[in-house]
Amino acid sequence: MPRPSGRPGSSARLKLALSYAGFLFVAGALLLAVVWWFLLRYVPDNSQGLLGVSPNRYLLVRTFAPAAAVAMAFLLVFGLVGGWILAGRMLRPLALITDAARAAGRGSLSHRIRMEGRQDEFRELSDAFDSMLDRLESHVGEQQRFAANASHELRTPLAISRTLLDVARKDPGQDHGELVERLYAVNTRAIGLTEALLLLSRGDRGNFTHEDVDLSLVAEEAVETLLPLAERRRITLDVTGGAARTSGSAELLLRMVTNLVQNAVVHNLPAGGTVAIHTQEYGGTSVLRVENTGRALPADLVATLTEPFRRGTDRVRADEHTAGVGLGLAIVHSIVRAHGGTLDLTPRPAGGLVATVRLPAVT
């Protein structure tokens, strides 16, 4: 909702100039008052003056008053002109920041102030504004890529379904059982993608009820759920460590751990691989570490695995594994961020990946 425009007022530069001029005028008036109080009041006010030689108060006032009036007028004009110039120099950085804010409001997020000079309040404000634009540009770009990828991913199963239906309509004698199975598989994938998108959006918003959650118990539950998948792939699951309590959504944290373990099982050796899950509390932080064997991963690929729809095409999958939607680690990253934690992904020298989640501990 646009903010209603207020009544027009004076510019900050004019207000500062008037403030400078008023300060100088008041300082001059105080100086004249001090002169009068500590000097002229002791001069005799008679026709002879002091000892018949010095001028009296009347003559001094007649002589001093015009010069004082000229001095006060000069101070007033000097304060206005000097204040206007100084205010312009002081407010010039604000004009640069205002121009950058207007450019950002028009959608140009690539503009940066990059104010030069010594470090002061305006320089700090400029640097903070540039940092905000960096984060905003990165976030907007990420959202645009996410929307484009989501549209593409959602369009694919719909296009496949339409093609299957067109083929069935043109060939009524086709086996409907096979058609139903294929449509069911495509629909299941579309539902899974939609649920993943909703979960990712929920994690980004962070609007969930907080409760005490022990990551060690969550890890055991996730391992129990994924044990049949690991046995089919002949992958060994090993859970170690102690209690690691944190505050958050039990449902989202379970999805986080499940995604990490499932990712470790799927992207592993064809057979004989291992997945090690370890939980502990250290220095006010609850730590969950999921480490798996596998092929060697380049560092540049690992740095992009938390991006939405990044499937890690260079990583090894078993032949029977159906390609996912590329949101597993993106959901994990979103949940960790919503809980005020951090996610670190590092490749193992011997091959595989180490995923470390750090969340605030509950004492």
Side-chain angles (χ1 to χ4, degrees), residues 49-100:
L50 184 59
L51 301 177
V53 178
S54 301
N56 56 26
R57 187 188 306 174
Y58 174 76
L59 293 177
L60 287 176
V61 171
R62 289 287 301 273
T63 305
F64 180 71
V70 172
M72 292 298 296
F74 173 78
L75 285 178
L76 183 60
V77 175
F78 180 79
L80 287 173
V81 176
W84 182 263
I85 296 174
L86 289 176
R89 292 178 59 89
M90 292 294 296
L91 295 177
R92 188 176 302 167
L94 286 182
L96 297 176
I97 298 175
T98 302
D99 292 340

Short mmCIF file of all heavy atoms in Angstrom, two decimals, residues 49-100:
data_model
loop_
_atom_site.label_atom_id
_atom_site.label_comp_id
_atom_site.label_asym_id
_atom_site.label_seq_id
_atom_site.Cartn_x
_atom_site.Cartn_y
_atom_site.Cartn_z
N GLY A 49 32.36 61.64 32.08
CA GLY A 49 33.10 60.41 31.87
C GLY A 49 33.96 60.07 33.06
O GLY A 49 33.89 60.71 34.12
N LEU A 50 34.83 59.13 32.90
CA LEU A 50 35.72 58.67 33.97
C LEU A 50 36.88 59.64 34.10
O LEU A 50 37.67 59.81 33.16
CB LEU A 50 36.23 57.24 33.68
CG LEU A 50 37.08 56.61 34.77
CD1 LEU A 50 36.30 56.51 36.08
CD2 LEU A 50 37.59 55.26 34.33
N LEU A 51 37.00 60.36 35.30
CA LEU A 51 38.06 61.33 35.59
C LEU A 51 38.05 62.50 34.61
O LEU A 51 39.07 63.16 34.40
CB LEU A 51 39.43 60.66 35.59
CG LEU A 51 39.62 59.51 36.60
CD1 LEU A 51 40.99 58.89 36.45
CD2 LEU A 51 39.37 59.99 38.02
N GLY A 52 36.92 62.69 33.96
CA GLY A 52 36.82 63.81 33.03
C GLY A 52 37.58 63.60 31.75
O GLY A 52 37.68 64.52 30.93
N VAL A 53 38.15 62.41 31.56
CA VAL A 53 38.96 62.13 30.35
C VAL A 53 38.30 61.07 29.49
O VAL A 53 38.15 61.22 28.27
CB VAL A 53 40.38 61.70 30.73
CG1 VAL A 53 41.19 61.38 29.48
CG2 VAL A 53 41.05 62.78 31.56
N SER A 54 37.93 59.86 30.09
CA SER A 54 37.37 58.74 29.34
C SER A 54 35.95 59.08 28.89
O SER A 54 35.25 59.86 29.54
CB SER A 54 37.34 57.48 30.21
OG SER A 54 38.65 57.15 30.65
N PRO A 55 35.52 58.47 27.76
CA PRO A 55 34.16 58.69 27.29
C PRO A 55 33.16 58.04 28.23
O PRO A 55 33.47 57.04 28.89
CB PRO A 55 34.14 58.05 25.91
CG PRO A 55 35.22 57.03 25.96
CD PRO A 55 36.29 57.62 26.83
N ASN A 56 31.98 58.55 28.32
CA ASN A 56 30.97 57.98 29.21
C ASN A 56 30.19 56.88 28.49
O ASN A 56 30.40 56.61 27.30
CB ASN A 56 30.04 59.07 29.73
CG ASN A 56 29.38 59.83 28.59
OD1 ASN A 56 29.22 59.31 27.51
ND2 ASN A 56 29.01 61.08 28.85
N ARG A 57 29.24 56.29 29.24
CA ARG A 57 28.51 55.16 28.71
C ARG A 57 27.66 55.57 27.50
O ARG A 57 27.52 54.80 26.55
CB ARG A 57 27.61 54.58 29.79
CG ARG A 57 26.92 53.28 29.38
CD ARG A 57 25.89 52.85 30.40
NE ARG A 57 26.48 52.76 31.73
CZ ARG A 57 25.77 52.52 32.83
NH1 ARG A 57 24.45 52.37 32.73
NH2 ARG A 57 26.35 52.46 34.01
N TYR A 58 27.12 56.75 27.53
CA TYR A 58 26.27 57.19 26.43
C TYR A 58 27.05 57.26 25.13
O TYR A 58 26.60 56.80 24.08
CB TYR A 58 25.68 58.56 26.79
CG TYR A 58 24.89 59.19 25.66
CD1 TYR A 58 23.62 58.75 25.35
CD2 TYR A 58 25.46 60.21 24.90
CE1 TYR A 58 22.91 59.32 24.31
CE2 TYR A 58 24.75 60.78 23.86
CZ TYR A 58 23.48 60.33 23.57
OH TYR A 58 22.77 60.90 22.52
N LEU A 59 28.25 57.82 25.19
CA LEU A 59 29.06 57.92 23.97
C LEU A 59 29.51 56.54 23.47
O LEU A 59 29.55 56.28 22.26
CB LEU A 59 30.28 58.81 24.23
CG LEU A 59 29.97 60.29 24.50
CD1 LEU A 59 31.24 61.05 24.82
CD2 LEU A 59 29.26 60.92 23.31
N LEU A 60 29.87 55.68 24.43
CA LEU A 60 30.30 54.34 24.01
C LEU A 60 29.15 53.57 23.33
O LEU A 60 29.35 52.88 22.33
CB LEU A 60 30.81 53.55 25.20
CG LEU A 60 32.19 53.98 25.76
CD1 LEU A 60 32.52 53.18 27.00
CD2 LEU A 60 33.27 53.81 24.70
N VAL A 61 27.96 53.69 23.89
CA VAL A 61 26.82 53.00 23.29
C VAL A 61 26.52 53.56 21.92
O VAL A 61 26.25 52.83 20.96
CB VAL A 61 25.59 53.10 24.22
CG1 VAL A 61 24.34 52.59 23.52
CG2 VAL A 61 25.83 52.31 25.50
N ARG A 62 26.56 54.87 21.79
CA ARG A 62 26.30 55.49 20.49
C ARG A 62 27.33 55.06 19.45
O ARG A 62 27.04 54.91 18.27
CB ARG A 62 26.34 57.02 20.62
CG ARG A 62 25.15 57.62 21.36
CD ARG A 62 23.91 57.57 20.51
NE ARG A 62 24.07 58.28 19.28
CZ ARG A 62 23.85 59.60 19.11
NH1 ARG A 62 23.43 60.33 20.14
NH2 ARG A 62 24.02 60.16 17.92
N THR A 63 28.57 54.84 19.89
CA THR A 63 29.62 54.44 18.96
C THR A 63 29.59 52.92 18.70
O THR A 63 29.82 52.46 17.58
CB THR A 63 31.00 54.83 19.53
OG1 THR A 63 31.00 56.23 19.82
CG2 THR A 63 32.10 54.50 18.54
N PHE A 64 29.29 52.12 19.75
CA PHE A 64 29.38 50.67 19.65
C PHE A 64 28.14 50.04 19.00
O PHE A 64 28.23 49.03 18.31
CB PHE A 64 29.59 50.08 21.06
CG PHE A 64 29.71 48.59 21.10
CD1 PHE A 64 30.84 47.96 20.59
CD2 PHE A 64 28.69 47.80 21.62
CE1 PHE A 64 30.96 46.59 20.62
CE2 PHE A 64 28.81 46.43 21.65
CZ PHE A 64 29.95 45.83 21.16
N ALA A 65 26.99 50.65 19.21
CA ALA A 65 25.74 50.04 18.75
C ALA A 65 25.69 49.86 17.23
O ALA A 65 25.33 48.78 16.75
CB ALA A 65 24.54 50.85 19.24
N PRO A 66 26.04 50.86 16.41
CA PRO A 66 26.00 50.63 14.96
C PRO A 66 26.95 49.52 14.49
O PRO A 66 26.61 48.70 13.64
CB PRO A 66 26.38 51.99 14.36
CG PRO A 66 26.06 52.97 15.43
CD PRO A 66 26.35 52.27 16.71
N ALA A 67 28.17 49.50 15.07
CA ALA A 67 29.12 48.45 14.69
C ALA A 67 28.61 47.07 15.10
O ALA A 67 28.76 46.09 14.37
CB ALA A 67 30.48 48.73 15.34
N ALA A 68 27.97 46.99 16.27
CA ALA A 68 27.42 45.72 16.72
C ALA A 68 26.28 45.27 15.81
O ALA A 68 26.16 44.07 15.49
CB ALA A 68 26.93 45.84 18.16
N ALA A 69 25.45 46.21 15.36
CA ALA A 69 24.36 45.85 14.46
C ALA A 69 24.89 45.34 13.13
O ALA A 69 24.39 44.35 12.58
CB ALA A 69 23.44 47.06 14.25
N VAL A 70 25.93 46.01 12.61
CA VAL A 70 26.53 45.53 11.36
C VAL A 70 27.14 44.14 11.55
O VAL A 70 27.00 43.27 10.69
CB VAL A 70 27.60 46.54 10.88
CG1 VAL A 70 28.37 45.97 9.70
CG2 VAL A 70 26.95 47.86 10.50
N ALA A 71 27.80 43.92 12.68
CA ALA A 71 28.40 42.62 12.95
C ALA A 71 27.33 41.53 13.05
O ALA A 71 27.50 40.42 12.53
CB ALA A 71 29.23 42.66 14.23
N MET A 72 26.21 41.85 13.70
CA MET A 72 25.14 40.86 13.81
C MET A 72 24.54 40.55 12.45
O MET A 72 24.24 39.39 12.14
CB MET A 72 24.07 41.38 14.76
CG MET A 72 24.52 41.48 16.21
SD MET A 72 25.00 39.90 16.94
CE MET A 72 23.45 39.05 16.89
N ALA A 73 24.37 41.55 11.62
CA ALA A 73 23.84 41.31 10.28
C ALA A 73 24.81 40.46 9.46
O ALA A 73 24.41 39.55 8.71
CB ALA A 73 23.57 42.63 9.58
N PHE A 74 26.11 40.74 9.61
CA PHE A 74 27.12 39.94 8.90
C PHE A 74 27.10 38.49 9.36
O PHE A 74 27.19 37.56 8.56
CB PHE A 74 28.50 40.55 9.12
CG PHE A 74 29.61 39.70 8.56
CD1 PHE A 74 29.88 39.69 7.21
CD2 PHE A 74 30.38 38.91 9.41
CE1 PHE A 74 30.88 38.90 6.69
CE2 PHE A 74 31.39 38.11 8.90
CZ PHE A 74 31.65 38.11 7.54
N LEU A 75 26.96 38.30 10.69
CA LEU A 75 26.91 36.93 11.21
C LEU A 75 25.68 36.19 10.67
O LEU A 75 25.76 35.00 10.35
CB LEU A 75 26.87 36.95 12.74
CG LEU A 75 28.18 37.28 13.46
CD1 LEU A 75 27.96 37.31 14.96
CD2 LEU A 75 29.27 36.27 13.12
N LEU A 76 24.56 36.91 10.56
CA LEU A 76 23.37 36.28 10.05
C LEU A 76 23.53 35.86 8.59
O LEU A 76 23.22 34.72 8.21
CB LEU A 76 22.17 37.22 10.20
CG LEU A 76 20.81 36.67 9.77
CD1 LEU A 76 20.46 35.43 10.60
CD2 LEU A 76 19.73 37.73 9.91
N VAL A 77 24.04 36.78 7.76
CA VAL A 77 24.24 36.47 6.34
C VAL A 77 25.31 35.39 6.18
O VAL A 77 25.16 34.45 5.40
CB VAL A 77 24.60 37.74 5.56
CG1 VAL A 77 24.94 37.40 4.11
CG2 VAL A 77 23.47 38.74 5.62
N PHE A 78 26.40 35.52 6.93
CA PHE A 78 27.48 34.54 6.85
C PHE A 78 27.00 33.16 7.28
O PHE A 78 27.37 32.14 6.68
CB PHE A 78 28.65 35.00 7.72
CG PHE A 78 29.82 34.05 7.70
CD1 PHE A 78 30.70 34.03 6.64
CD2 PHE A 78 30.02 33.16 8.76
CE1 PHE A 78 31.77 33.15 6.63
CE2 PHE A 78 31.08 32.28 8.75
CZ PHE A 78 31.97 32.28 7.68
N GLY A 79 26.16 33.12 8.32
CA GLY A 79 25.64 31.84 8.78
C GLY A 79 24.73 31.18 7.75
O GLY A 79 24.79 29.98 7.54
N LEU A 80 23.91 32.01 7.06
CA LEU A 80 23.03 31.46 6.04
C LEU A 80 23.82 30.92 4.85
O LEU A 80 23.60 29.79 4.40
CB LEU A 80 22.04 32.52 5.58
CG LEU A 80 20.91 32.87 6.57
CD1 LEU A 80 20.10 34.05 6.04
CD2 LEU A 80 20.00 31.67 6.79
N VAL A 81 24.76 31.74 4.34
CA VAL A 81 25.53 31.31 3.18
C VAL A 81 26.45 30.14 3.53
O VAL A 81 26.48 29.11 2.83
CB VAL A 81 26.34 32.49 2.61
CG1 VAL A 81 27.22 32.03 1.45
CG2 VAL A 81 25.41 33.60 2.15
N GLY A 82 27.19 30.30 4.61
CA GLY A 82 28.10 29.22 5.01
C GLY A 82 27.36 27.96 5.38
O GLY A 82 27.78 26.84 5.04
N GLY A 83 26.21 28.09 6.08
CA GLY A 83 25.42 26.92 6.44
C GLY A 83 24.86 26.21 5.22
O GLY A 83 24.80 24.98 5.17
N TRP A 84 24.43 27.00 4.21
CA TRP A 84 23.91 26.40 2.97
C TRP A 84 25.00 25.60 2.26
O TRP A 84 24.76 24.49 1.78
CB TRP A 84 23.38 27.51 2.07
CG TRP A 84 22.77 27.00 0.79
CD1 TRP A 84 23.38 26.93 -0.42
CD2 TRP A 84 21.46 26.51 0.62
NE1 TRP A 84 22.52 26.42 -1.35
CE2 TRP A 84 21.33 26.15 -0.75
CE3 TRP A 84 20.36 26.34 1.46
CZ2 TRP A 84 20.15 25.62 -1.27
CZ3 TRP A 84 19.19 25.82 0.94
CH2 TRP A 84 19.10 25.46 -0.41
N ILE A 85 26.21 26.15 2.20
CA ILE A 85 27.31 25.45 1.52
C ILE A 85 27.71 24.20 2.31
O ILE A 85 27.87 23.10 1.74
CB ILE A 85 28.50 26.39 1.34
CG1 ILE A 85 28.12 27.55 0.41
CG2 ILE A 85 29.71 25.64 0.78
CD1 ILE A 85 29.19 28.61 0.28
N LEU A 86 27.88 24.36 3.63
CA LEU A 86 28.29 23.22 4.44
C LEU A 86 27.22 22.13 4.44
O LEU A 86 27.54 20.93 4.38
CB LEU A 86 28.58 23.68 5.87
CG LEU A 86 29.84 24.54 6.07
CD1 LEU A 86 29.94 24.99 7.52
CD2 LEU A 86 31.08 23.77 5.66
N ALA A 87 25.95 22.51 4.52
CA ALA A 87 24.88 21.52 4.51
C ALA A 87 24.86 20.76 3.19
O ALA A 87 24.62 19.54 3.16
CB ALA A 87 23.54 22.19 4.76
N GLY A 88 25.14 21.48 2.08
CA GLY A 88 25.19 20.80 0.79
C GLY A 88 26.29 19.76 0.73
O GLY A 88 26.10 18.66 0.20
N ARG A 89 27.45 20.12 1.29
CA ARG A 89 28.56 19.16 1.29
C ARG A 89 28.27 17.98 2.21
O ARG A 89 28.62 16.84 1.90
CB ARG A 89 29.84 19.87 1.73
CG ARG A 89 30.35 20.89 0.73
CD ARG A 89 31.60 21.58 1.26
NE ARG A 89 32.66 20.62 1.53
CZ ARG A 89 33.56 20.22 0.63
NH1 ARG A 89 33.49 20.68 -0.61
NH2 ARG A 89 34.49 19.35 0.93
N MET A 90 27.62 18.25 3.34
CA MET A 90 27.35 17.17 4.27
C MET A 90 26.26 16.24 3.76
O MET A 90 26.30 15.03 4.01
CB MET A 90 26.92 17.77 5.63
CG MET A 90 28.04 18.50 6.35
SD MET A 90 29.37 17.39 6.86
CE MET A 90 28.52 16.33 8.01
N LEU A 91 25.29 16.79 3.03
CA LEU A 91 24.16 15.99 2.57
C LEU A 91 24.38 15.37 1.20
O LEU A 91 23.50 14.64 0.71
CB LEU A 91 22.89 16.84 2.55
CG LEU A 91 22.40 17.35 3.90
CD1 LEU A 91 21.18 18.24 3.73
CD2 LEU A 91 22.07 16.20 4.84
N ARG A 92 25.50 15.65 0.57
CA ARG A 92 25.75 15.09 -0.75
C ARG A 92 25.74 13.55 -0.74
O ARG A 92 25.19 12.93 -1.66
CB ARG A 92 27.08 15.60 -1.30
CG ARG A 92 27.35 15.22 -2.75
CD ARG A 92 28.64 15.86 -3.22
NE ARG A 92 28.58 17.31 -3.08
CZ ARG A 92 29.64 18.11 -3.17
NH1 ARG A 92 30.83 17.59 -3.39
NH2 ARG A 92 29.50 19.42 -3.04
N PRO A 93 26.34 12.90 0.27
CA PRO A 93 26.26 11.43 0.29
C PRO A 93 24.82 10.92 0.36
O PRO A 93 24.50 9.87 -0.20
CB PRO A 93 27.06 11.04 1.54
CG PRO A 93 27.99 12.19 1.76
CD PRO A 93 27.24 13.40 1.34
N LEU A 94 23.94 11.66 1.06
CA LEU A 94 22.54 11.22 1.12
C LEU A 94 21.88 11.27 -0.24
O LEU A 94 21.02 10.45 -0.56
CB LEU A 94 21.77 12.10 2.11
CG LEU A 94 22.04 11.87 3.60
CD1 LEU A 94 21.16 12.77 4.44
CD2 LEU A 94 21.81 10.42 3.97
N ALA A 95 22.29 12.24 -1.06
CA ALA A 95 21.74 12.30 -2.42
C ALA A 95 22.15 11.07 -3.23
O ALA A 95 21.34 10.53 -3.99
CB ALA A 95 22.21 13.58 -3.11
N LEU A 96 23.38 10.61 -3.05
CA LEU A 96 23.82 9.40 -3.75
C LEU A 96 23.04 8.18 -3.29
O LEU A 96 22.63 7.34 -4.11
CB LEU A 96 25.33 9.19 -3.51
CG LEU A 96 26.27 10.28 -4.04
CD1 LEU A 96 27.70 9.96 -3.64
CD2 LEU A 96 26.15 10.41 -5.54
N ILE A 97 22.81 8.09 -1.96
CA ILE A 97 22.06 6.96 -1.44
C ILE A 97 20.61 7.02 -1.91
O ILE A 97 20.00 5.99 -2.25
CB ILE A 97 22.13 6.95 0.10
CG1 ILE A 97 23.60 6.78 0.54
CG2 ILE A 97 21.27 5.85 0.69
CD1 ILE A 97 23.80 6.87 2.04
N THR A 98 20.04 8.23 -1.96
CA THR A 98 18.66 8.38 -2.44
C THR A 98 18.54 7.96 -3.90
O THR A 98 17.58 7.27 -4.29
CB THR A 98 18.20 9.83 -2.27
OG1 THR A 98 18.29 10.20 -0.89
CG2 THR A 98 16.75 10.00 -2.73
N ASP A 99 19.50 8.36 -4.73
CA ASP A 99 19.47 7.96 -6.14
C ASP A 99 19.56 6.44 -6.28
O ASP A 99 18.86 5.84 -7.13
CB ASP A 99 20.62 8.64 -6.90
CG ASP A 99 20.44 10.14 -6.99
OD1 ASP A 99 19.30 10.62 -6.83
OD2 ASP A 99 21.45 10.85 -7.21
N ALA A 100 20.42 5.83 -5.46
CA ALA A 100 20.54 4.37 -5.52
C ALA A 100 19.25 3.69 -5.06
O ALA A 100 18.83 2.68 -5.64
CB ALA A 100 21.71 3.91 -4.66
#
